Amino acid sequence: MSTSSTVERAFEAALYADSDAALDTGASLLAADPASDAELARRGREFVTAAWRRGWQPADVVRLVRRDLDDLHVRLVTSLILQEQGGDGSPRGARWAAQLDELAGTPHEVRTDRFSHATAALELCRLLLRLPSIEPLETPHTAAPASAPRETRMLSRIRALLAKAEATGFPEEAEALSAKAQELMARHSIDEALLAARTHAKDGPGACRIGVEPPYETAKAVLLDAVAGANRCRAVWNDALGFSTVVGFEADLEAVELLYTSLLVQATGAMAKAEAAQRAGGRKRTKTFRQSFLAAYAHRIGDRLASVAEGQVTATAGELLPVLAARDVAVANHLEEMFPQTVTTRMRGITDEAGWHEGAAAADRAQVAPHPHLPRNPDHPR
């Protein structure tokens, strides 16, 4: 029996049926034939390459595998991705390279018995085979701004400020640190925009994907949407696949990634403290408390971030306004190109009054500038 036919028979048995019996049959065939290992790895790389053709990127695939399968599958797909390295021959930007570098630094050795390895490989191939096509991020239109994100002194300082904000146990200190970080982000974005305009750089908006992890995905997606809006970006949430696509210029995309990650850490910590206080008062809190908390936090913090960003714009010379207006139009147009059809969804489960007030209070403690309250309508694009 040839190696290739062993792999084909295993795939025919396991990939197109969801039963455990079919999976066991395929895994048994592979485990019994050590000569099939190289062919199985080659076919696995082909599945990975096919995912790239359908618009996926390395971090997207790993994130989905982590969500739907186990650590063994994550290690296996990471190894396949690192081995694949451009199998489809398409051009790939610096964000792609950065994702590969990050994966290379994570554990991806697969050490287990033959049957377990074969089972995991078939389960992974099942998932990869059924990946839908999604909007590609690397296109000729976005090739220019896809140059390597630079770790400038400004970005290093922003990272340090946000790390301190996450670590401190004092709300006032976190407030000051987060405010300063957003101020620097806005200043960095303005400088990049003015430089591109003055040098007539062929710049254009691009896009990145940011995972929106369970639980309370809807509230987290609202938070990401608020951060994106404050940084002159637009976010579209794919709830089925667990990520939001953020469209904007490179400096603004960097700001959104940094700030969303930090604020999510801060919001989670504040929510845990609020729940502890509620329990100490004899009141048991539930999922609705946490969902309401995060929703209120997202809405209030978004307005405050926008206020800081607008303050930086106001303090800048008049030549900035037409530059930013042109960029806003470019972002809106690119969003329309990528997502010609979007729908608006309303958040459900925001019924816990205490959770809402606690979340709003936490956002107020992290406030970055005084301004009017956010509207309470929790609609956002998806």
Side-chain angles (χ1 to χ4, degrees):
M1 182 184 297
S2 70
T3 295
S4 180
S5 65
T6 298
V7 174
E8 287 299 332
R9 289 180 63 200
F11 280 3
E12 290 173 6
L15 293 195
Y16 306 99
D18 290 323
S19 70
D20 290 339
L23 188 65
D24 289 345
T25 298
S28 296
L29 288 169
L30 294 172
D33 184 5
S36 68
D37 292 353
E39 175 68 10
L40 179 61
R42 184 186 69 80
R43 295 296 298 274
R45 293 193 295 273
E46 289 179 352
F47 279 114
V48 167
T49 302
W52 307 157
R53 289 196 293 267
R54 293 198 291 273
W56 294 74
Q57 294 198 349
D60 304 326
V61 172
V62 172
R63 183 170 55 246
L64 189 68
V65 171
R66 182 177 291 111
R67 186 190 74 173
D68 291 352
L69 299 173
D70 298 319
D71 181 66
L72 177 58
H73 304 86
V74 173
R75 288 174 178 254
L76 183 57
V77 76
T78 300
S79 180
L80 290 174
I81 289 171
L82 293 174
Q83 293 169 23
E84 189 267 352
Q85 294 283 14
D88 64 349
S90 62
R92 297 170 179 177
R95 285 183 177 277
W96 190 296
Q99 291 173 26
L100 293 180
D101 288 343
E102 184 173 350
L103 290 179
T106 63
H108 53 271
E109 300 82 7
V110 180
R111 298 176 182 175
T112 185
D113 61 90
R114 292 191 55 78
F115 183 80
S116 296
H117 181 278
T119 301
L122 290 173
E123 289 174 325
L124 176 61
C125 288
R126 274 181 177 176
L127 184 148
L128 295 176
L129 178 67
R130 299 170 187 180
L131 289 180
S133 294
I134 58 177
E135 300 77 15
L137 300 185
E138 300 292 346
T139 66
H141 185 63
T142 60
S147 57
R150 295 162 294 162
E151 187 61 31
T152 62
R153 183 178 300 178
M154 175 76 81
L155 287 177
S156 297
R157 187 179 176 194
I158 291 169
R159 290 182 192 278
L161 286 169
L162 292 176
K164 290 179 180 178
E166 295 165 23
T168 183
F170 300 99
E172 294 80 5
E173 184 180 10
E175 169 194 334
L177 293 167
S178 296
K180 186 62 178 177
Q182 176 62 64
E183 179 184 322
L184 293 180
M185 288 174 181
R187 181 71 258 170
H188 178 58
S189 174
I190 289 170
D191 290 344
E192 292 286 317
L194 288 176
L195 177 63
R198 290 167 180 168
T199 59
H200 304 287
K202 293 184 179 180
D203 199 3
C208 68
R209 295 190 189 102
I210 299 177
V212 181
E213 307 291 347
Y216 318 117
E217 301 95 317
T218 304
K220 292 175 182 177
V222 171
L223 176 61
L224 177 52
D225 184 70
V227 174
N231 287 279
R232 316 194 79 86
C233 295
R234 301 282 294 278
V236 177
W237 179 39
N238 187 320
D239 55 341
L241 297 177
F243 61 74
S244 282
T245 303
V246 183
V247 179
F249 284 78
E250 184 60 39
D252 301 324
L253 294 176
E254 293 171 357
V256 172
E257 290 180 292
L258 287 172
L259 191 56
Y260 169 70
T261 301
S262 178
L263 286 176
L264 191 58
V265 171
Q266 295 182 53
T268 302
M271 183 173 66
K273 290 182 179 179
E275 280 195 297
Q278 292 287 321
R279 286 193 297 270
R283 287 165 290 184
K284 183 179 180 181
R285 288 301 159 194
T286 63
K287 176 180 179 179
T288 57
F289 175 88
R290 295 185 285 272
Q291 180 90 337
S292 299
F293 181 102
L294 288 174
Y297 186 95
H299 281 282
R300 298 289 281 268
I301 203 71
D303 212 16
R304 283 149 177 76
L305 295 175
S307 178
V308 169
E310 286 305 310
Q312 287 297 304
V313 172
T314 302
T316 306
E319 70 170 305
L320 177 66
L321 296 181
V323 172
L324 292 184
R327 286 195 160 210
D328 288 343
V329 171
V331 169
N333 289 341
H334 192 50
L335 183 82
E336 180 65 23
E337 290 174 9
M338 290 187 68
F339 302 98
Q341 294 184 331
T342 59
V343 298
T344 298
T345 186
R346 178 176 292 276
M347 286 188 64
R348 310 277 181 192
I350 312 303
T351 57
D352 192 298
E353 184 177 359
W356 180 270
H357 287 304
E358 290 286 353
D364 285 340
R365 288 193 297 271
Q367 69 181 354
V368 293
H371 50 77
H373 292 300
L374 271 156
R376 290 177 178 265
N377 182 359
D379 290 350
H380 68 285
R382 180 178 67 183

